[in-house]
Amino acid sequence: MSQSNPLPLIARAPVIPVVVIERLEDAVPLARALVEGGLPLIEVTLRTPVALRAMSVIAAEVEGAIVGAGTVTDRSQIEAVVEAGATYIVTPGTTPALAQALAEAPVPVLPGCATASEAMALDALGFKVLKFFPAEPSGGAPFLKGLAGPLPALRFCPTGGIGPSNAPDYLALPNVVAVGGSWVVPGDAIKAGNFDKVRELSAAAAKLPRAAKFD
């Protein structure tokens, strides 16, 4: 397995913004607002036609931004996102074929899981930091708390249904490295060009305490 450990990267901030970029011209000011607010990891999801180009311009033009690719579901996307400048990869779930491809990826990866069996299967393949998705519908913070006993070596980045009201519940768990969320990048603010709002929400999110230790 050639994958590198994603833990030092994911530990950089308590929240990873999950971003859907509809207009390429929003990419740079949005990323700058996030970085200035204290959230340097930016997961650009592959849900729009401009996603790859958005990663490229953020990587090239926004100092301090750590660009990742989200919604990676197929082996063929791995090379494309790395070429676009992604420094980490996030998947919503992980098929056996995708897991094999991720094991060979040249950047850190966060493979997705939603059950104990899926987490165990990824653990057996050497993946120790996993995305838990969709977090709230799949059991939420109580589920991850329950996994800490039987699967103590695993760390998680839960995403899906997480906002400012419940993010602290997840970050209070010792097996949660960070949470992913879109509440810091509200679509109406982006559409209106209100990046001050993004900066304000990011600054609040960056101050959230977490129980996990990384040494």
Side-chain angles (χ1 to χ4, degrees):
M1 175 170 289
S2 61
Q3 61 147 336
S4 56
N5 179 15
L7 186 58
L9 189 67
I10 305 304
R12 294 283 294 271
V15 177
I16 299 176
V18 180
V19 181
V20 178
I21 298 178
E22 303 282 357
R23 302 178 303 194
L24 189 60
E25 59 266 31
D26 293 331
V28 167
L30 176 61
R32 284 183 177 147
L34 290 168
V35 172
E36 290 166 3
L39 301 181
L41 279 83
I42 303 170
E43 179 187 330
V44 179
T45 61
L46 295 182
R47 301 180 191 178
T48 68
V50 302
L52 288 174
R53 286 184 291 161
M55 290 178 208
S56 295
V57 296
I58 292 172
E61 300 182 28
V62 183
E63 184 176 357
I66 304 171
V67 185
T71 323
V72 172
T73 59
D74 184 78
R75 174 189 290 269
S76 64
Q77 295 171 317
I78 295 174
E79 182 178 358
V81 300
V82 172
E83 288 182 354
T87 55
Y88 62 98
I89 291 171
V90 186
T91 76
T94 316
T95 64
L98 184 57
Q100 181 181 7
L102 293 172
E104 301 165 0
V107 296
V109 300
L110 272 178
C113 70
T115 68
S117 294
E118 292 170 2
M120 291 169 64
L122 289 167
D123 185 14
L125 293 172
F127 297 99
K128 302 299 181 183
V129 186
L130 311 177
K131 175 177 179 173
F132 175 49
F133 177 84
E136 281 292 289
S138 300
F143 176 85
L144 290 179
K145 183 177 181 180
L147 284 189
L151 302 175
L154 294 182
R155 297 293 177 267
F156 295 90
C157 178
T159 304
I162 299 177
S165 62
N166 59 359
D169 297 334
Y170 287 93
L171 293 170
L173 301 175
N175 59 345
V176 169
V177 182
V179 300
S182 58
W183 83 88
V184 295
V185 285
D188 55 348
I190 297 172
K191 188 174 182 179
N194 185 2
F195 298 109
D196 286 339
K197 180 65 173 178
V198 173
R199 190 177 297 105
E200 173 188 329
L201 292 169
S202 299
K207 295 175 183 175
L208 290 172
R210 50 186 165 177
K213 306 298 181 184
F214 310 110
D215 47 36

